[in-house]
Amino acid sequence: MARGTRRLGTLLVPVTGLSGTSYPPGTKVAVDGGGSSVDGFVDGDWLPLAWWEFSEGHAEDAQAG
């Protein structure tokens, strides 16, 4: 994966961001990283995501999310 590239995904389960906001299933998320856990971002809010908490979409420029 090229540095600075984020993938778009959709939450499959409710996830709480660093801000304390809970995001419901279906929320669009920008995903960065790989492996069993990745960094997710919704409007700048960081969400630590496990592989099973989201489904991936297509590649997107790092400006997303």
Side-chain angles (χ1 to χ4, degrees), residues 21-65:
T21 301
S22 181
Y23 297 96
T27 300
K28 299 298 181 194
V29 60
V31 180
D32 194 11
S36 62
S37 62
V38 298
D39 295 322
F41 299 91
V42 175
D43 295 328
D45 193 8
W46 177 66
L47 289 72
L49 296 174
W51 65 268
W52 52 269
E53 294 178 308
F54 69 99
S55 65
E56 289 195 52
H58 60 279
E60 182 73 13
D61 182 62
Q63 299 301 317

